Structure formats: structure tokens, C-alpha cells
């Protein structure tokens, strides 16, 4: 029987000559080929000639459906004739050179790699082996290897590894054969096990024999040898071998030689290859030590400096920078301990809590509130051990050549909840109703009958301000299980109608200040800060704050409209709700950002005495000395020059005229009732004067090319030129008696001892450069992000550089256009009291300060990050403040709530309760806002009581101040007189906890409360003593669930530091299942799509809101967050976290702009409008919107989000910022997946969400 004819693709002529020859070759396979050697040679030679001369012949052989490759490989496997083998290798080489990707894939899939290895092993047994055959074999293997994922394994198992090594050793002078051998060795070495094996066979030393000093000859060979050596040195075993052999010095000498001789930069790839070898060697501690010992820092620094002017040499500069940063000796932070400078003794410490480890260490001080200043070796271990505890390479049988492929396979978020039982909400609130009855008094509106209330309209809102004062609870809930607080922390309750919040009777304490100091003259411009003091002898109350005529909220108020006009209003939502007129914004943009050119927005002035009189007690400022002026010694006697003249009068802008909710006098009164662990006795000027949002736009800052590189080089100069470094401590909270260190006026003066302040230490590095260290959260040893501090004593026009050196996140929006905020007291006095974005040369990068493994979740070898910015000052004798984001203190909240109550009209039902007392003795306010019933008839009272509830909360994370500004916008809208506000109050009852973590806010924490814990991870099982605000807020919700009045919407306001825009996280079983790909029945996936309605509405009406950034996936790490617990345990379908960017927007009306308080407050107002539209949608029986939501969900499953960086960032630890949905980052952006060290190419795959990961801990949301 004849063999079947060779298959051909339809359309290929069957009489094609090459196919006829292949058919002839196929018939010769087997014994015939061995018998008729000459014919086989002729046929293969003809095939090679056709493929070489006719492009169509190659296409015919490789065409889809053709069996040409199988025939060629079968012939190659069967032949024993060297010439025939060579002819077939020529054919394959020609075929695989063209259309390489697909053709090589076909070759590999047909088993071609294994056949080549067989021939290699067979040919290597011949002595001597055929040089031409070995040349062709290795040339072909070099082409095939990178496309075959199992290439290294096949080579090792077949024995080809040793064959290639031996051939290389025998042909060191034969460059023609040596080149393909090195190319194959380069591919072999990408497999880690092969690399170790090759190292044992002496290949590392072999490569060092091949690499040579500068020469114009054999540069291609040298480049391949360096590539192979670089791949080998990825193995730590081989890196140690190279260090032991003294090859670090050799590599540095070679690099210097090539750097000096390659003046025309024609051999940049060779220079880069040498640097890659150094980079891989310095991955181990021995390599870093050898690099330092051989003066590698100076060599690379000098060479890189010479390369800087040539843009094409950036790859060399970047790699050199990476090596130098890695080898820079790891230093401890300049602190006695990484624990917070302040200590608060908890009533009890849970054995498994994060504070237990801190408390188990020897205490740093005996007093409850004294500084913990005893260094703890176990806490502060920063030894360079990054490669000590890792497995040796020989023990890890990782046979994957392309590690990126493995990454691709692991891009799915492993944190997604896959337990369907946990995904379905529970209906059991968890606590017996008898325990929850005590919370009934917070819901008087549900039982109020309004008998005896006069519903006649009143002309004055003030006549109703006390109508329901009796309904406001001023006593905190007493939890039976809670231990009594120490007398030091028990507040003496008093109710002031002006403040409407419970405050302690005593005023703040300050360090002892002598009262006999001689008076000093005061000029209006020499301002420092206001220092509040407590007089033990005088207990008189402060004067009542003067009340000014308040303008109505211009954007949210207007004449009342009949009900039929509400639908029309809703149709023009974007026009109805705007916190700033667009034309004024545009005028501001045209005027530019210069504060000098712009006129003063505040024309009216007020006169205050300086020092400010608080409660009739003279306060004191200490003037600074030196030419810089404006300095001060905050609240201490260190170098005091005497008290200011009490008779001096300052003329300052009356910001209350433009800020209806701000009153400086009232703010000072509120500060007196605020309790802090450090017992702050000062008021920061920005909080006193207030903030008026600027009318000009503040665009995202464009990143200057190479800015990070230049900053890093300046850091490296500290090691190379140590004599240029001042290294002078100018501010230190670890010296509580005198944190401001006196000098001769040549240094800036710093201060952070005021509410929400955070700066622990300032060290002058150079004349105009300062390293700044942030304080940890109290009862914690990490969470460094929020900062708020004061600077004085500056020189006008001088450019200062500030480096915050203990940031923890692996990336930041400071790399993508965000600027710090600055407040100038001189500008405020001139009538421009405002925070403005400032700073140039801003970047964020890994530094040489080592993190403790305890603070890094047990991981060793982690580093802190530096956020650096430069700025200059425009005014002499100025006092400036810098902040991470617009500050919003607890005292500011109390002031705003008091002013809001004063704005209440007879139509508004407003009640303020004190939900509980915090650990630190501060009150947690609870607001109830709705519309008064029109009368006390049964119908109106029934409608009043049965309104759906909306439950809002904010500021569980103190550093997310933007959440408070959004909440401010919400509260102002709800208390406004516009028809929309009136309709909203008539539609819902609002229960609002505007600040869930007052203690954290007061004490300048970034994330935690005084318990040292993230309160948004305590919702599953809050402790009434350690987490009182969460415990009682959850109890309110549990009470509502018990009485069948669970909220329609629950929303927790947050801020997000790593993403732009405003967006929401919600909860959906269906979308969680889709993301996790777990099997589920249709009944499991049945859910109302109403959870998408509110975000959808917001995306239509709020210019800063982005629907594409929203996520409704439930993750395991979020199971203790407010959003998930309220959804799962309380049964609230519309349970959200609303995240507001700290940076700016990349879409919509505000695209390309940094976000400000105006936009944040607008977002809060738009949230209210969205609730009104939600009421309309849920009130009608039209489910078309649900169909629209279903299509939205389907659309998001196929949407591909792609983004590329628009600014230059170094690849090493600044990955391309991806604005895709980051399911892992819910308002925490604090942590998530373990931090990735980006040593290779930056991934452009938007699914690699772990590139945005931050800290290594699990306290996110």
C-alpha cells in the first residue's frame, strides 16, 4: 500500500515543486534515507535552495494545514549523514528567520527542540565534533530557545547543558563558534536551576575570561557574554561565587574602562551589560559590601554625573542609580524608638491586638503620657538581612524561564471572598433587643408627637433654636461592661447653648510660662502662633462668641418652590447644585495662580489683641531671634526673649463674613474643650483664621524629567561628601522639655504642637535642606503619612528642600501631579486666608532608611520612602504651615456644628446628641436632620416617623481629611434653604456621625485611634472600651435592624491617596462571584441591582465622580469594615464606602486639576442631590433603570482599562500608575498585597493591580 500523500493546504498547488520534493523526502524516511544518502543530500539541498531563493516556497512549507514541518523534523531525526543534517538545519534556519514568532511556535510544538538536543548530544560524541554542525545547531537553538518555555529543562535532562559548556571551553579563541554557544548559554541561564548547575561547572569564571577591556573588535560577542553573565548572576549562589573570586572589582574596572574610552557612546549596550552584572551581584549582602569596599559608590556616581547631559545614556544613569541606592548603607531613622513620641495607657490591652507587642517591650517612660524614649533592639532591628533567610537557589526547582508568565497567571485577586455563605447577608443583628433598648433615646424622632409645639411660621430662626433643646442628649451612653476611666480622663460635663457639644470644664494645660517677663514690642507682621494657657487660680468663663449676620448658603439656597417644581429642579441638577459660580472660577484661572497679583477676597477686618485673650487669660508668644525673624519657641522657656505686649492690637481679616460656618473666637472656645494626649496648648493659625478656597484653578503639576534622579544623586552625595552635611537637629519632640533647639538664626524653626499636628523631628542636612520625620500613630510604630507642621525663620526667595524620610507606601500620587499644601500667615493677614498647592521638584522614592521588621509585618530588608519637595517663601517674617491635605480638626467640626445649629430654620428638625465619649475623653457627636412636620396631625406625624433613614459617617481614618470636607458639604446642603434641600429633608431622616475617630484627629494620627488600631477593621466585634465610637455606631444600626427600620443607604466617607476622582465601593454577591470565577447557582446570584443606582446617579450629576473606578466586590480582608458589616449583618443593600481623591481628577469637568475644598464640598452636596433622585427612582414602579444597571454590569466585565504613564518616572520603584479599579485598595490604600520590589521592567498590564500595593500589613479600607 502506498503512503498517503503529504497534506497540503487548500489553495496551494499540488504540483508545487517544494511540496513535491518534500513528498519525495517523506517517502525516503526510515531505512531508505540511510541507504540512499546521496539522494537525501540532493533533495534536501534542492529544498534549501528553493526556500532560500523563493519566498513563496517557505510559505508553502509553513502554511496552515501543511505537514511540511513534520516531514523536515522526521528526516532530521532519522538521518545519520552529517551533510544531510546540515542541509536540513540550513532549511530550518531559513524558515525560522522569517515570520519568526509563529513559525518558531510551530517548530516547538512539533518537538523540534528535543530533536536538536538529540543531534547535539550525538554530534558532541564525535572527536573532534563537526564545527559547522555545532555552529548551525547552536545558531538554531539560540533562535528557538526564547520561545520554548521548557527549553532549560529539556537541555538539562538531555545532557545538552554540559555539551554546550564543553564546546565553549574548547573554542574560546574561535569567535565564530563561540558566539552561538554564548547565545545558547544565555538562554540556558534564564532557568534558575540551570544557572546554579552552570555555576558549579565553572561557567561564571569562564564568562569573566571572555569579557575584556575596551576594544572595537568582537563587541557583539562581548555583549552576549555579558548578557549570559548577568543571567547567571541572578542566582545568589553564583553571585557569591563572583564575590569570592574578586570579580566585583573586575566589573567596576571594566565599566570605568568602557566609560572613558567609549566617548561616542556607540557601545552603550556593553556598558549596560556590565551594570546589569553589578546590579545582580549587589542583590546579596556580600555583593553590596564588596561594592562599597571597592569604592563602587564613587565610581558610579562620577560616571553617572558625566552621563547626565546625554539623554540617550539615561538607561546607564538609571541602572547606576539603582545600584547605588541599593548599596547605600542602611541607616536607622534618627529616632530613639520607632514607637510614637506620645504614649497613652489603655484601660486594658487585648492579648492578640497590635498594641500587645508594643506593651510587651520595656516601657520607655513611667508616666502615662510621657515620651517612650528608650531604644528597643527588638523593635528597631534594621540590620541588612534581606538575603539571609532565603532558600538557596539549588533548593528551588523553578523551571520557568519567563517569570512574567507566572505573574500573568497570578493576576487574579486572591483576596476576593469565595465563600457563598459569607457573601449572602445575614438577617440576625447579633445582639438581644434588651441590650439595644438604651439606644432608643437616640431616635426620639420615631416617637415624637410634637404636642404643644407651635407650628406657626416664625420670622426669626433664632426663636426656634431652643424649641427642641430638651431633646438633645448631653450624657454619653454608659456601657455597663466598661471600666471607669481614670479621674484624669473623666470629663466634667457642661452644656453650653452656644456650642451644643459636651465639653470639659477645664481649659488646656501648657508648659509653665513665667508671667513676669518684660513686655516686648509687637508689629502686626511678626506673628507666630497663639498659645492657650490654663490659669489655676482663675476659672472664669470665656466671653460669648460674638454673632455676626450670616449670609445664607448662596449656592444651596433660594426662594421656596412649590412641590410640582421639584421634578424640574432635578432635571437641572448640575445647574442647581454648584458651590462656586463657573464664571468666577474661570476669572480666577485667567488671573493665574500668583497670590501677589490677586486682590484680597476679604475686605472687612477685625481687631484682636495680641497675645490673644482666651477666657480672660493672657496668652503668650515667644518671639524668635536672628535675621530670619518670625521664629518662636512654642510653649516653653527655651531661649525666651520675653512675653509680647498685651496692649498690642492686630488688624486681621474677618473671615467670618465670607465663611458662614467659621468664627475664630468660637474656634478658640472649642479648642479649650478638646482633649489631646500631648495636652496641646496652641492653636494653629490656619485653623484660627479659616480657609477660603482660592478662585483660581490648581492644575496637576507636570513632573520634570529626571527630577527623581537628581534628588537621589543629592542623597548619594551625603555618603560621598560627608563633610558637606550639617546634620543638625533643629526640632525634636523626643526632647519634650524643649523641642525647638535654639541656634544663631541660620536654621528654620519648626513646630507641630497643635491640634492635628504631626512632625516629630527636623534635621538640617544642608544650609537649605531639611530631613523631616513624622510621628507614628499613638500606640503604634508605623502609619506615617499625614503631616501638618509650621515653619518660620525663612529667608525670602531662597529655595528650600524638605524631605519626609519615613513614608511607608511603595508609591504615591506625589509622583503623579499632587502637591503639598501651604498656608501663609502673611497672606492671611493681607486678606487671603487660604491653603494653596505648592512645591516643585516633587517626587517619592525609596530611601536608605531601613524599616524595622516588626513595623513591616515581619518582613526584613524593607526600606522607608522619601517624599521630597522644594519651595520658596515670598514674605519676610512669615509663618507658614505645610499639610498633606486640607486640615480639618475636631475643634473645627465642633465649631461648624455649633454654627449650623444657629442657622436652623423652623422648618428644619435638627438634634445633636453625644453618642459616647472616646478613650481620650472627647465627645462623639451624632446628628439627626430631617424636616419638621407641617402640623401635629396624625397624617403628618405618621409621614414624619415613617421616612426612610439615611445613615452617614466619616473620618474613621484621621489622615483622610477630605472626608470631613465632603461631610461639611453634605451638612451645609441639608441645612440649606433651597427647594432641593427642603425636599430632601422631607424625604428622609438623616442620622450622621461626622467624625468616628475624634481622638485620632486631635492627636495627628494618620489611621488609628488611641487603641493603636484601625477602627475600620473593628466593625465585626468592636470593644466598647477600646472602640467606643464603632461599638455605639454599630449598636445604633443594630437597634434599627431590630425595629425593622434599617437604613435605605449607609455611606462611610473616606479619602484615597493612590487614586484619582471620587468613587464608591459597594457589595454585590453577583459581581464578587464573577470576579472570583467560583461556581454558583442562579439562585445564589439572585440579587436586586439597586446597589448600583446611587453610584450611577452620582456619575451623571457629580463632575468629580467616576463610575469606572467603582467596585462592588467583597473581599476577605474587608470583612470587618463598615461597608461589609453593615451590608452583611444589618442587611443594608446600599452600603457604601465613598472614596474621595487626595490628589485630583483625570476625567470630567475637573480633569487635570488638583482637588480643593470647593470641589469636595460640592461632592458632599451632590451626594444629597443623588439621594433625592434615588428617592424618585425607588418611589416609582418603573424598573427600566434596573435594566440599565444590568447592562452597566455586563459592560464592565468586558471593559479593558488601559493607561500609560504621562510623566517620566524611574522604573525601579515607581511603577506606571494605573487608574484601573483597584479592588485591594479600599480606603486603604495603606496596605494590601505584599509590597513588590520592582527590579525589572514595568508591567503595562492593568491587571497587575499589585503594582499599586502599599504597606505589608493587613489593615486596609
Amino acid at each position: 500500500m502506498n503512503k498517503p500523500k503529504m497534506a497540503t493546504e487548500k489553495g496551494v498547488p499540488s504540483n508545487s515543486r517544494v511540496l513535491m520534493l518534500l513528498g519525495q523526502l517523506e517517502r525516503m524516511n526510515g531505512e531508505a534515507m540511510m541507504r540512499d544518502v546521496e539522494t537525501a543530500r540532493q533533495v534536501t539541498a534542492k529544498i534549501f535552495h528553493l526556500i532560500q531563493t523563493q519566498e513563496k516556497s517557505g510559505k508553502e512549507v509553513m502554511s496552515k494545514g501543511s505537514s511540511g514541518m513534520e516531514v523536515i523534523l522526521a528526516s532530521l531525526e532519522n538521518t545519520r549523514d552529517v551533510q544531510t543534517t546540515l542541509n536540513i538545519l540550513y532549511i530550518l534556519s531559513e524558515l525560522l528567520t522569517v515570520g519568526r514568532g509563529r513559525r518558531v511556535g510551530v517548530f516547538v510544538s512539533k518537538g523540534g527542540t528535543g530533536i536538536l538536543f538529540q543531534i547535539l548530544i550525538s554530534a558532541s560524541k564525535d572527536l573532534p565534533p563537526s564545527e559547522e554542525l555545532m555552529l548551525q545547531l547552536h545558531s538554531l537553538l539560540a533562535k528557538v530557545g526564547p520561545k520554548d518555555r521548557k527549553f532549560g529543562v529539556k537541555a538539562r535532562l538531555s545532557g545538552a547543558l554540559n555539551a554546550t559548556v564543553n564546546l565553549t571551553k574548547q573554542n574560546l579563541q574561535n569567535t565564530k563558534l563561540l558566539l552561538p554557544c554564548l547565545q545558547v548559554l544565555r538562554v540556558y541561564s534564564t532557568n534558575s536551576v540551570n544557572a546554579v548547575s552552570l555555576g558549579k561547572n565553572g561557567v561564571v569564571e569562564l564568562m569573566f575570561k571572555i569579557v575584556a577591556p575596551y576594544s572595537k573588535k568582537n563587541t557583539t560577542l562581548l555583549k552576549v557574554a555579558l548578557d549570559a553573565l548577568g543571567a547567571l548572576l541572578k542566582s545568589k549562589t553564583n553571585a557569591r561565587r563572583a564575590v569570592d573570586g574578586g570579580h566585583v572589582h573586575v566589573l567596576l574596572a571594566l565599566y570605568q574602562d568602557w566609560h572613558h574610552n567609549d566617548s561616542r557612546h556607540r557601545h552603550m549596550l556593553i556598558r549596560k551589560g556590565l551594570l546589569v552584572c553589578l546590579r545582580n551581584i549587589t542583590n546579596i549582602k556580600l555583593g553590596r559590601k564588596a561594592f562599597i569596599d571597592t569604592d563602587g559608590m564613587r565610581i558610579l556616581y562620577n560616571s553617572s554625573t558625566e552621563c547626565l547631559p546625554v539623554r540617550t545614556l539615561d538607561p546607564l544613569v538609571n541602572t547606576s542609580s539603582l545600584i547605588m541606592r541599593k548599596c547605600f548603607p542602611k541607616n536607622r531613622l534618627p529616632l530613639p524608638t520607632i514607637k510614637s513620641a506620645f504614649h497613652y495607657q489603655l484601660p486594658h490591652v487585648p492579648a492578640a491586638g497590635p498594641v500587645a507587642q508594643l506593651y510587651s517591650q520595656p516601657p520607655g517612660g513611667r508616666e502615662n503620657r510621657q515620651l517612650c524614649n528608650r531604644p528597643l533592639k527588638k523593635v528597631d532591628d534594621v540590620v541588612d538581612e534581606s538575603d539571609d533567610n532565603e532558600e538557596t537557589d539549588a533548593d528551588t526547582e523553578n523551571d520557568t524561564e519567563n517569570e512574567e508568565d507566572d505573574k500573568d497567571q497570578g493576576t487574579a485577586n486572591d483576596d476576593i471572598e469565595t465563600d457563598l455563605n459569607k457573601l449572602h447577608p445575614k438577617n440576625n443583628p447579633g445582639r438581644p433587643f434588651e441590650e439595644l433598648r438604651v439606644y432608643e433615646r437616640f431616635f426620639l424622632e420615631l416617637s415624637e408627637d410634637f404636642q404643644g409645639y407651635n407650628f406657626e411660621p416664625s420670622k426669626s430662626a433664632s426663636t426656634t433654636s431652643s424649641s427642641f433643646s430638651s431633646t438633645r442628649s448631653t450624657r454619653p451612653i454608659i456601657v455597663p461592661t466598661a471600666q471607669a476611666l481614670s479621674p484624669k480622663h473623666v470629663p466634667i460635663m457642661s452644656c453650653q447653648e452656644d456650642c451644643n457639644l459636651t465639653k470639659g470644664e477645664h481649659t488646656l494645660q501648657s508648659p509653665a510660662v513665667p508671667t513676669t517677663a518684660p513686655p516686648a514690642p509687637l508689629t502686626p507682621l511678626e506673628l507666630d502662633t497663639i498659645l492657650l494657657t490654663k490659669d489655676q487660680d482663675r476659672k472664669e468663663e470665656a466671653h460669648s462668641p460674638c454673632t455676626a449676620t450670616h449670609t445664607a448658603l448662596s449656592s444651596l439656597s433660594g426662594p421656596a418652590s412649590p412641590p410640582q417644581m421639584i421634578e424640574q429642579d432635578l432635571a437641572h441638577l448640575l445647574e442647581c447644585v454648584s458651590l462656586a459660580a463657573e464664571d468666577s472660577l474661570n476669572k480666577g484661572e485667567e488671573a493665574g495662580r500668583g497670590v501677589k497679583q490677586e486682590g484680597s477676597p476679604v475686605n472687612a477686618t477685625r481687631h484682636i489683641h495680641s497675645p490673644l485673650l482666651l477666657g480672660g487669660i493672657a496668652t503668650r508668644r515667644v518671639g524668635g531671634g536672628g535675621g530670619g525673624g518670625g521664629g518662636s519657641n512654642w510653649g516653653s522657656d527655651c531661649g525666651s526673649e520675653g512675653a509680647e505686649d498685651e496692649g498690642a492690637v492686630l488688624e486681621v481679616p474677618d473671615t467670618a463674613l465670607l465663611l458662614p460656618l467659621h468664627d475664630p473666637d468660637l474656634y478658640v472656645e472649642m479648642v479649650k474643650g478638646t482633649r489631646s494626649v500631648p495636652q496641646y496648648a496652641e492653636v494653629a493659625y490656619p485653623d484660627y483664621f479659616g480657609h477660603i478656597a482660592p478662585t483660581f484653578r490648581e492644575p496637576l503639576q507636570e513632573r520634570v524629567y529626571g527630577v527623581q534622579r537628581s534628588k537621589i544623586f543629592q542623597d548619594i552625595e551625603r555618603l560621598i561628601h560627608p563633610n558637606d552635611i550639617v546634620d543638625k537637629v533643629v526640632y525634636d519632640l523626643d526632647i519634650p522639655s524643649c523641642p525647638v533647639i535654639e541656634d544663631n538664626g541660620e536654621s528654620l524653626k519648626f513646630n507641630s504642637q497643635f491640634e492635628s499636628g504631626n512632625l516629630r523631628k527636623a534635621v538640617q542636612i544642608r544650609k537649605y535642606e531639611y530631613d523631616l520625620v513624622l510621628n507614628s500613630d499613638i500606640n503604634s510604630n508605623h502609619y506615617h503619612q499625614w503631616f501638618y507642621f509650621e515653619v518660620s525663620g525663612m529667608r525670602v526667595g531662597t529655595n528650600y528642600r524638605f524631605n519626609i524620610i519615613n513614608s511607608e507606601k511603595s508609591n504615591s500620587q506625589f509622583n503623579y501631579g499632587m502637591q503639598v499644601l501651604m498656608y501663609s500667615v502673611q497672606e492671611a493677614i493681607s486678606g487671603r486666608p487660604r491653603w494653596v498647592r505648592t512645591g516643585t521638584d516633587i517626587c517619592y522614592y525609596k530611601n536608605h532608611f531601613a524599616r524595622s521588621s516588626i513595623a513591616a509585618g515581619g518582613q526584613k530588608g524593607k526600606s522607608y520612602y522619601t517624599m521630597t519637595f522644594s519651595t520658596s517663601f515670598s514674605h519676610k517674617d512669615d509663618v507658614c504651615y505645610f499639610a498633606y491635605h486640607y486640615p480639618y480638626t475636631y475643634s473645627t467640626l465642633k465649631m461648624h456644628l455649633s454654627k449650623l445649629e444657629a442657622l436652623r430654620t423652623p422648618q428644619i428638625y435638627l438634634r445633636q446628641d453625644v453618642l459616647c465619649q472616646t478613650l481620650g475623653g472627647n465627645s462623639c457627636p451624632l446628628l439627626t436632620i430631617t424636616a419638621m412636620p407641617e402640623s401635629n396631625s396624625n397624617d403628618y406625624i405618621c409621614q414624619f416617623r415613617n421616612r426612610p433613614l439615611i445613615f452617614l459617617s466619616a473620618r474613621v481614618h484621621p489622615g483622610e481629611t477630605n472626608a470631613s470636607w465632603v461631610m461639611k458639604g453634605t451638612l451645609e446642603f441639608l441645612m440649606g434653604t433651597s427647594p432641593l434641600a427642603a425636599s430632601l429633608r422631607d424625604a428622609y431622616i438623616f442620622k450622621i456621625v461626622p467624625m468616628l475617630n475624634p481622638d485620632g484627629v486631635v492627636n495627628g494620627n494618620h489611621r488609628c485611634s488611641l487603641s493603636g488600631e484601625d477602627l475600620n477593621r473593628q466593625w465585626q466585634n468592636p470593644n466598647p472600651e477600646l472602640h467606643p465610637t464603632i461599638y455605639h455606631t454599630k449598636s445604633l444600626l443594630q437597634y434599627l435592624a431590630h425595629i425593622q427600620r434599617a437604613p435605605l443607604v449607609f455611606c462611610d466617607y473616606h479619602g484615597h491617596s493612590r487614586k484619582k476622582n471620587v468613587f464608591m465601593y459597594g457589595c454585590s454577591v453577583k459581581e464578587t462571584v464573577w470576579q472570583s470565577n467560583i461556581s454558583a447557582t442562579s439562585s445564589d446570584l439572585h440579587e436586586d441591582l439597586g446597589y448600583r443606582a446611587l453610584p450611577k446617579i452620582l456619575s451623571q450629576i457629580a463632575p468629580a465622580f467616576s463610575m469606572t473606578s467603582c467596585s462592588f466586590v467583597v473581599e476577605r480582608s474587608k470583612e470587618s469594615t463598615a461597608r461589609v458589616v453593615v451590608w452583611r449583618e444589618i442587611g443594608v443593600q446600599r452600603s457604601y464606602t465613598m472614596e474621595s481623591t487626595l490628589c485630583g481628577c483625570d476625567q470630567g469637568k475637573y480633569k487635570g486639576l488638583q482637588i480643593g475644598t470647593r470641589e469636595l464640598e460640592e461632592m458632599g452636596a451632590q451626594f444629597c442631590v443623588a439621594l433625592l433622585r434615588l428617592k424618585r427612582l425607588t418611589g416609582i414602579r418603573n424598573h427600566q433603570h434596573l435594566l440599565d444597571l444590568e447592562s452597566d454590569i455586563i459592560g464592565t466585565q468586558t471593559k479593558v482599562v488601559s493607561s500609560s504613564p504621562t510623566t517620566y518616572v524611574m522604573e525601579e520603584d515607581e511603577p506606571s500608575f494605573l487608574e484601573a479599579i483597584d479592588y485591594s485598595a479600599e480606603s486603604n490604600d495603606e496596605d494590601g498585597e505584599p509590597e513588590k520590589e520592582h527590579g525589572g521592567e514595568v508591567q503595562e498590564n492593568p491587571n497587575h493591580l499589585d503594582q499599586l500595593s502599599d504597606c505589608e500589613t493587613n489593615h486596609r479600607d
Side-chain angles (χ1 to χ4, degrees), residues 1115-1121 1123-1124 1224 1226 1260-1261:
E1115 295 177 291
R1116 283 188 284 266
S1117 64
K1118 306 297 189 311
E1119 63 181 5
S1120 295
T1121 62
R1123 166 180 64 98
V1124 176
S1224 67
E1226 179 170 350
R1260 300 155 30 94
D1261 200 356

Side-chain angles (χ1 to χ4, degrees), residues 34-76:
M34 299 179 67
R35 288 196 307 268
D36 198 354
V37 173
E38 191 60 35
T39 304
R41 289 180 180 177
Q42 293 177 0
V43 172
T44 52
K46 289 178 181 178
I47 294 173
F48 172 61
H49 177 73
L50 285 173
I51 292 175
Q52 189 179 34
T53 57
Q54 299 179 13
E55 184 180 345
K56 67 174 184 178
S57 298
K59 291 182 178 179
E60 291 171 2
V61 174
M62 298 302 301
S63 60
K64 199 170 181 181
S66 171
S67 59
M69 182 58 76
E70 289 96 323
V71 172
I72 293 171
L73 290 177
S75 302
L76 180 62

Side-chain angles (χ1 to χ4, degrees), residues 546-573:
C546 55
T547 56
T549 303
H550 298 289
T551 58
L553 302 179
S554 59
S555 60
L556 306 177
S557 61
S561 298
Q564 59 266 29
M565 294 182 64
I566 299 301
E567 290 294 317
Q568 183 179 356
D569 291 340
L570 282 170
H572 301 86
L573 290 168

Side-chain angles (χ1 to χ4, degrees), residues 733-779:
L733 280 184
D734 292 307
I735 310 175
S737 61
C738 186
V740 180
I741 288 84
E742 277 301 302
D743 69 345
N744 57 3
E746 290 299 314
S747 304
L748 293 176
K749 288 183 170 61
F750 294 84
N751 179 39
S752 63
Q753 297 184 92
F754 45 79
E755 186 175 348
S756 295
N758 190 320
L759 177 66
R760 181 170 183 169
K761 191 169 188 175
V763 182
Q764 186 175 14
I765 299 300
R766 298 181 178 92
K767 188 173 183 180
Y768 302 118
E769 180 179 356
Y770 294 83
D771 278 357
L772 309 179
V773 184
L774 303 183
N775 197 18
S776 304
D777 285 5
I778 292 177
N779 275 325

Side-chain angles (χ1 to χ4, degrees), residues 148 201 703 817 826 924 949 952 1032 1051 1103 1183:
D148 188 347
N201 286 344
R703 187 181 177 97
Q826 291 281 20
C924 180
L949 277 89
L952 306 178
H1032 295 302
C1051 190
H1183 298 288

